[in-house]
Amino acid sequence: MNAYLEIIRPGNAVMAVIAVILVIFISGNFTLSAFLACIVVFMVIGGGNAINDYFDHKIDAINKPNRPIPSGRISLKAAGTYSLSLFAVGTIIAFIIGLLPGIIALLTSILLALYAYNLKKMVLIGNIVVSFFTGLTFVFGGVVVGAMETSIYLGLFAFLMTMAREIVKDMEDVEGDRKEGATTLPIIYGMKSASILAAAFMIIASVASPVLYFIGIFNILYLAPLFAAIVVFLISAASILKDQSIQNTAKVSKRIKIGMGITFLAFAVGSPFLASLI
């Protein structure tokens, strides 16, 4: 894969775009602004991923030596310039959509840079910041298409599941983070404590997610794929509580991502807009 494409982690950026598309789909509001919102999210998230690699190049040399910077496929200076360019283009397009979307994109870009520089090294603060912005992606879509209430509910669920995954990822990266003096949850309080908190977020999200059907956000078609996602989350929670090895945390992190993907499918299948087309 091309280094400039790889450094923005296109899979993660596309997942963020899917969050916006889901809000658009649920609202049924397919406009030019909605399309531009997808571009904004891809640019800003991509910039955030690139700036993260910029500040993490020493840790990645230990944990992920094949990443673009430690492998020498892209220079540190080029990565920094590339990231700032993505932030700038995304923010400009957001201001074209409207003042509030522009402000959200600008503040998100600044905070993503601060996260990569320092916030991610603080116990739980970095996890909360990333999870907050994952939820904010849904809300950003809601702002653009006029579906604020629904997007807030979706954003809350995304926050809970991202918190679980972020903690598990910290467990996976504990060796490199410790050598760099990071103060992540598993380093300060231990892998077992981290696994308990990660499992708690998975369980809370699993128990709370059916509420979106009972309060009328989604129809009954939402429940079938949601059940499959809940099974994935509960299995992941049990697995991380039982085994905190680096190998297992990597597996659990992937399972959580799969579970989130299935949940996104549940959002789409259970949306009122899709029901109106059937």
Side-chain angles (χ1 to χ4, degrees):
M1 184 184 296
N2 179 275
Y4 284 92
L5 180 60
E6 183 180 344
I7 200 170
I8 67 172
R9 299 175 198 172
N12 289 349
V14 168
M15 285 292 286
V17 171
I18 289 174
V20 178
I21 292 174
L22 281 170
V23 177
I24 295 169
F25 188 81
I26 291 167
S27 69
N29 191 357
F30 300 91
T31 63
L32 176 60
S33 292
F35 172 73
L36 292 176
C38 294
I39 297 176
V40 169
V41 168
F42 187 87
M43 291 284 187
V44 172
I45 296 300
N49 288 332
I51 201 71
N52 190 69
D53 275 19
Y54 175 88
F55 286 112
D56 268 6
H57 67 280
K58 291 182 179 178
I59 293 177
D60 285 344
I62 299 171
N63 289 332
K64 301 169 184 175
N66 293 323
R67 294 292 301 163
I69 297 175
S71 67
R73 288 178 291 136
I74 182 172
S75 72
L76 192 62
K77 181 179 179 180
T81 301
Y82 182 46
S83 173
L84 294 177
S85 298
L86 290 170
F87 283 145
V89 173
T91 299
I92 289 170
I93 295 174
F95 273 112
I96 292 173
I97 298 173
L99 179 60
L100 183 55
I103 291 172
I104 293 174
L106 176 60
L107 293 179
T108 299
S109 298
I110 293 171
L111 288 175
L112 281 172
L114 289 174
Y115 161 80
Y117 174 67
N118 189 38
L119 293 179
K120 70 179 296 180
K121 298 177 183 178
M122 301 179 184
V123 180
L124 279 181
I125 299 299
N127 305 127
I128 292 170
V129 169
V130 171
S131 302
F132 170 76
F133 283 127
T134 302
L136 185 63
T137 303
F138 286 91
V139 178
F140 178 77
V143 168
V144 173
V145 302
M148 280 290 293
E149 182 180 359
T150 298
S151 67
I152 289 172
Y153 285 121
L154 303 186
L156 178 59
F157 174 84
F159 173 85
L160 293 171
M161 288 316 307
T162 305
M163 277 295 294
R165 186 164 185 264
E166 282 297 306
I167 293 170
V168 172
K169 283 170 62 182
D170 280 348
M171 295 171 68
E172 181 183 357
D173 293 340
V174 69
E175 292 179 3
D177 288 346
R178 184 178 286 115
K179 290 180 180 179
E180 282 299 310
T183 55
T184 61
L185 184 68
I187 291 175
I188 301 300
Y189 295 103
M191 296 285 273
K192 186 63 177 181
S193 295
S195 71
I196 291 171
L197 188 57
F201 277 112
M202 286 184 252
I203 292 169
I204 291 170
S206 298
V207 172
S209 53
V211 173
L212 297 178
Y213 164 71
F214 293 108
I215 64 176
I217 298 295
F218 297 116
N219 60 50
I220 197 168
L221 296 177
Y222 165 70
L223 296 178
L226 179 67
F227 177 77
I230 289 173
V231 170
V232 172
F233 294 143
L234 294 180
I235 289 174
S236 299
S239 178
I240 201 67
L241 287 172
K242 181 180 179 181
D243 180 3
Q244 293 91 46
S245 67
I246 302 300
Q247 293 77 12
N248 191 55
T249 55
K251 292 178 182 178
V252 170
S253 178
K254 291 178 181 178
R255 285 185 198 139
I256 295 173
K257 199 168 185 178
I258 291 171
M260 291 178 73
I262 297 172
T263 304
F264 286 173
L265 175 64
F267 290 163
V269 170
S271 69
F273 176 73
L274 182 61
S276 69
L277 297 178
I278 298 176

